[in-house]
Amino acid sequence: MEGGKTREIMKVELICVGTELLLGSIVNTNAAYLAEKCAGLGLSCYFQTVVGDNEERLSEVLRTAMGRSDIVILSGGLGPTEDDLTKETAAKVCGRALEVHEPSKKAIEKFFSDRGLEPTDNNWKQAVIPEGAIILDNHNGTAPGAILETEKAKVILLPGPPGELKPMFEESVVPYLAALTSQVICSQTVKICGVGESKAETMVKDLIGGQSNPTIATYAKTGEVHIRVTANAGDRKSAMKLIKPMVKELKNRFGNNIYTTEEETTLEKSVVDLALANKLTITCAESCTGGMLSARLVNVPGISEVYKNGVVTYANKAKRRLLGVKKSTLQKYGAVSEKTAEEMAKGAAVMFKADVAAAVTGIAGPEGGTAEKPVGLVYIACRVKGKTTVRRYQFSGNRNKVRESAVAAALALMRECILVYYSKVTFGKGES
Amino acid sequence: MEGGKTREIMKVELICVGTELLLGSIVNTNAAYLAEKCAGLGLSCYFQTVVGDNEERLSEVLRTAMGRSDIVILSGGLGPTEDDLTKETAAKVCGRALEVHEPSKKAIEKFFSDRGLEPTDNNWKQAVIPEGAIILDNHNGTAPGAILETEKAKVILLPGPPGELKPMFEESVVPYLAALTSQVICSQTVKICGVGESKAETMVKDLIGGQSNPTIATYAKTGEVHIRVTANAGDRKSAMKLIKPMVKELKNRFGNNIYTTEEETTLEKSVVDLALANKLTITCAESCTGGMLSARLVNVPGISEVYKNGVVTYANKAKRRLLGVKKSTLQKYGAVSEKTAEEMAKGAAVMFKADVAAAVTGIAGPEGGTAEKPVGLVYIACRVKGKTTVRRYQFSGNRNKVRESAVAAALALMRECILVYYSKVTFGKGES
């Protein structure tokens, strides 16, 4: 984007407000989220700033940003405490008075009465907004967001907690920003599982170098790679026409490792959709992942047709009692072994009468690794209608990273096994 | 820290250079790392900036930083490609010529010959340094770091890859900065569960207003509030002496709702520690949370002594079959009810012979809510040695937010029930 057609493209700038960021207590995931979304909307971002809850310094940063960018997005500092002064500072810099916003006041009243609680004095601070601001409803907290349209720039105020910022951005800010840009920028994301990041990059290197409209960019996620194809044109139809042949080329290259080209579809949703399409039920038997695999599946709305129950069998005894893993298997091969994973999947499928059973057993660390079975070693089994596939994986990173990688790999394996069984498709030699 | 005795404390500012950061392709973990390290060294950090590999914009940002901070740390853009221009830009802004650094040239030669490779032309670019710079050896890559001491500020250039930046910072920059500073900043975090953010804020409002050293700041987490107490002094011991009475005062006010004052201790770890101390085993029976509660407990290293197994009973049939919830209970009260939660906890405790059993049943949405039982309604039961406590909660937000809130509430309830049973302590009227 640097050095691109900047005359036509609107410039956005991010300001993240919070002492925790300045102290390094938290990582600035909001900036990465907002930057990625803005790039997807075709906005150029040249600066991101982090500043504390301090009126003087925040004013300085905001004035600088408004002087060089068309849109300034601030996150954080909208809470009820005295420290929170983003709204007050932005109002002052933009020359706006503060006034009580009645709908926000009522929403705060309701938020507390729903919980049988009394709001404290400082909660009302959140119902005060700069005059003339466009209010952004917060369905996940009490602090509303706001947009201040000034001559210099549009200033967008968002709450700091990612669980509030993200849905507010999706629901209210994306449509607002889309309406501002005269060029229509469209993008489509091709989501891939079972292929490693560097392999995926090598596979599209020639495409990245050779294109300017559409552009393509790769994003590594845990256990997945997303490739975003973005094009700009006078209208949506023309933009999509530019995108289509590139997506087709990616489909040729990645084949069945592409699990979706839909923005909202997650890997777990693609597994659930496959199960629904084939009228299958799914169960999970987890050891090192401790419920994370079930939890990801259950986060798909409408999961109840597919997923009825699952178990976490952390102890060997639980693997034996709840899943019927043989004592001799555990003694001979150990809990982290191909054979144990296979018996866990079989046990879960039989005990819970499920069509598909996934089992995960591994060494998440930090302790418990040996030369033969190092930390990060995970076996995943997937049984579809009596046919079991077991794979061995070696993940890296800390305990949580190993577990997240194992969950993503389990979802990819479930998808692959269901597809192979029901659609007789084949998979390329991805690093699955 | 904000508004503290800034005259005595040196100001540091971070500039992270890279297009990947501006596009949101990667999260800025370097900023969090450097910020935390600098805070630990007693430096105040008021600004962090992200900018791309663009001479004009980088110069602007660097000049601004040098005008307001004593130390400016830049990371990224020291690589061999044409895009990398941090060193060249910093030299220009500081009025230094570039010259070949013979030891760095030899180190690059060695780096490649050790690997049986030939350096390409642009690798020699990395041996060129601003005149008069202090060179920082890179033992993990080819780009050396540099310190430029100017009248305005010390400008420190570090490579972007965390695997090169971190060891270089530890080995070379920490001793350099430690020699510059005379003040030490220490902080301690008091972590609270079962008290809402604004209530916690109200409870410490007088303390926030009245103090400058130590300062206190509140941070809202899902289901938790963290209060950080920070002090600066000539040495660590004196700083801790300032912190101690404030932490004591917070203990007086929040009592047993404080689950830890240790930086590394999470809410789930505090539950696991309590179970270990009382030699208790824990099991979980989850419906709407679908394994998230087990997953959080299992993320604690060494959990195997405490947690043996758990179940996810999403379907009513699973609640009956695996946990022995009565058909009549489900018919009369429904799956989301006090009685069902109670029977789930009892069933799990009995079936899995666990001392502590937590059960969660609720409506996570987006569908399934009614006027009587709206989305966000969750019942959580905790059974400790035959004694069961059930609570009703009304959470807000999307499906994932409701589930995360339920998990945090379940952990807080488990902690409370174990403490009440074994330590006979009482809890204040927190919003638990």
Side-chain angles (χ1 to χ4, degrees), chain A residues 98-103 105 124 127-129:
Chain A
L98 290 166
E99 60 188 22
V100 173
H101 184 243
E102 285 301 328
K105 196 178 163 192
W124 300 121
V128 173
I129 56 141

Side-chain angles (χ1 to χ4, degrees), chain A residues 184-195:
Chain A
V184 175
I185 305 222
C186 294
S187 66
Q188 190 168 12
T189 303
V190 175
K191 300 184 183 177
I192 297 159
C193 62
V195 180

Side-chain angles (χ1 to χ4, degrees), chain B residues 62-63 66 86-99 128-135 146-157 176:
Chain B
L62 179 55
R63 278 200 195 93
M66 288 173 72
T86 301
K87 200 166 50 181
E88 293 75 6
T89 307
K92 205 176 270 184
V93 170
C94 298
R96 304 285 178 99
L98 290 168
E99 59 188 23
V128 173
I129 57 142
E131 56 174 351
I134 301 168
I135 294 305
I147 301 176
L148 292 170
E149 296 185 318
T150 74
E151 266 184 39
K152 278 188 171 173
K154 326 274 183 204
V155 178
I156 304 177
L157 311 180
Y176 176 81

Side-chain angles (χ1 to χ4, degrees), chain A residues 284-295 311-312 314 359-362 364 378 380 395 399-400 402-408 410, chain B residues 291-292 294-296 298-299:
Chain A
C284 305
E286 301 179 67
S287 187
C288 63
T289 48
M292 285 170 87
L293 178 57
S294 284
V311 283
V312 181
Y314 203 72
V360 186
T361 179
V378 177
I380 304 177
F395 301 115
R399 183 173 176 86
N400 198 45
V402 167
R403 296 168 75 223
E404 282 183 355
S405 300
V407 169
Chain B
M292 285 170 86
S294 284
R296 261 189 79 172
V298 171
N299 204 33

Side-chain angles (χ1 to χ4, degrees), chain A residues 1-3 19-29 31-33 35-36 39 45-54 57 60-61 64 68 79-84 111-112 114-115 117 120-123 139-141 163-164 167 218-220 287-292 294-296 298-304 307-315 318 321-322 351-353 365-366 399-400 403, chain B residues 1-3 19 21-29 31-33 35-37 39 45-54 57 60-61 64 68 197-199 201-202 205 208-209 216-219 221 228 230 287-296 298-304 307-315 318 321-322 351-353 365-366 392 394-401 403 431:
Chain A
M1 198 134 337
E2 296 270 325
T19 308
E20 280 171 303
L21 292 167
L22 289 179
L23 287 172
S25 314
I26 55 170
V27 176
N28 197 354
T29 54
Y33 168 82
E36 191 179 346
C45 178
Y46 294 140
F47 301 97
Q48 299 170 0
T49 310
V50 173
V51 64
D53 302 289
N54 172 286
R57 289 188 284 270
E60 175 191 335
V61 166
T64 303
R68 65 190 176 190
T81 78
E82 279 186 21
D83 281 355
D84 297 304
F111 184 93
F112 282 91
D114 281 355
R115 288 159 184 72
L117 301 169
T120 55
D121 280 352
N122 48 12
N123 285 117
H139 303 295
N140 301 288
E164 300 178 25
T218 61
Y219 299 95
S287 187
C288 63
T289 48
M292 285 170 87
S294 284
R296 263 189 79 172
V298 170
N299 203 34
V300 180
I303 181 75
S304 57
Y307 181 100
K308 310 291 176 182
N309 54 263
V311 283
V312 181
T313 53
Y314 203 72
R321 227 187 99 201
L322 291 171
M351 302 279 265
F352 305 131
K353 298 188 179 65
R399 183 173 176 86
N400 198 45
R403 296 168 75 223
Chain B
M1 195 140 338
E2 300 272 324
T19 308
L21 293 166
L22 289 179
L23 286 173
S25 314
I26 55 171
V27 176
N28 197 353
T29 53
Y33 168 83
E36 194 176 350
K37 288 286 167 184
C45 179
Y46 293 140
F47 302 96
Q48 300 170 358
T49 309
V50 173
V51 66
D53 303 288
N54 172 287
R57 289 190 283 271
E60 176 191 335
V61 166
T64 303
R68 65 192 176 191
E197 181 194 6
S198 38
K199 171 147 190 185
E201 171 65 25
T202 308
K205 204 177 169 183
I208 290 179
I216 82 169
T218 62
Y219 302 99
K221 312 274 171 185
R228 176 173 293 130
T230 307
S287 186
C288 64
T289 47
M292 285 170 86
L293 178 57
S294 284
R296 261 189 79 172
V298 171
N299 204 33
V300 179
I303 181 72
S304 57
Y307 181 99
K308 310 290 177 183
N309 56 264
V311 283
V312 180
T313 54
Y314 203 71
R321 227 187 98 199
L322 292 171
M351 303 277 266
F352 305 131
K353 298 188 179 66
R392 179 187 191 279
Q394 181 61 52
F395 301 115
S396 60
N398 63 17
R399 184 173 176 85
N400 199 45
K401 175 85 178 163
R403 296 167 74 221
E431 301 158 21

Side-chain angles (χ1 to χ4, degrees), chain A residues 24-227:
Chain A
S25 314
I26 55 170
V27 176
N28 197 354
T29 54
N30 280 347
Y33 168 82
L34 292 170
E36 191 179 346
K37 287 287 168 185
C38 288
L41 284 161
L43 301 167
S44 284
C45 178
Y46 294 140
F47 301 97
Q48 299 170 0
T49 310
V50 173
V51 64
D53 302 289
N54 172 286
E55 191 182 324
E56 189 190 329
R57 289 188 284 270
L58 178 53
S59 299
E60 175 191 335
V61 166
L62 180 55
R63 278 198 196 95
T64 303
M66 289 172 71
R68 65 190 176 190
S69 297
D70 306 302
I71 301 156
V72 182
I73 302 179
L74 294 102
S75 65
L78 298 187
T81 78
E82 279 186 21
D83 281 355
D84 297 304
L85 40 74
T86 301
K87 201 165 48 183
E88 294 75 4
T89 306
K92 206 177 269 183
V93 170
C94 298
R96 304 285 180 95
L98 290 166
E99 60 188 22
V100 173
H101 184 243
E102 285 301 328
S104 293
K105 196 178 163 192
K106 287 212 175 76
I108 291 170
E109 259 165 25
K110 188 175 178 311
F111 184 93
F112 282 91
S113 75
D114 281 355
R115 288 159 184 72
L117 301 169
E118 286 288 320
T120 55
D121 280 352
N122 48 12
N123 285 117
W124 300 121
K125 179 170 174 292
Q126 297 185 286
V128 173
I129 56 141
E131 58 174 348
I134 301 167
I135 294 305
L136 312 175
D137 291 336
N138 186 344
H139 303 295
N140 301 288
T142 51
I147 300 176
L148 292 169
E149 296 184 319
T150 74
E151 267 182 40
K152 278 189 173 171
K154 325 277 182 202
V155 178
I156 304 177
L157 311 179
L158 301 174
E164 300 178 25
L165 175 136
K166 290 180 185 184
M168 189 183 287
F169 191 86
E170 298 283 348
E171 288 163 24
S172 308
V173 184
V174 168
Y176 176 82
L177 293 176
L180 283 184
T181 49
S182 63
Q183 278 277 307
V184 175
I185 305 222
C186 294
S187 66
Q188 190 168 12
T189 303
V190 175
K191 300 184 183 177
I192 297 159
C193 62
V195 180
E197 181 193 3
S198 43
K199 172 147 188 185
E201 267 177 14
T202 310
M203 285 170 73
V204 296
K205 207 176 169 187
D206 58 317
L207 299 178
I208 290 178
Q211 303 284 336
S212 64
N213 191 24
T215 56
I216 82 169
T218 61
Y219 299 95
K221 312 275 169 186
T222 301
E224 303 181 36
V225 176
H226 295 186
I227 302 182

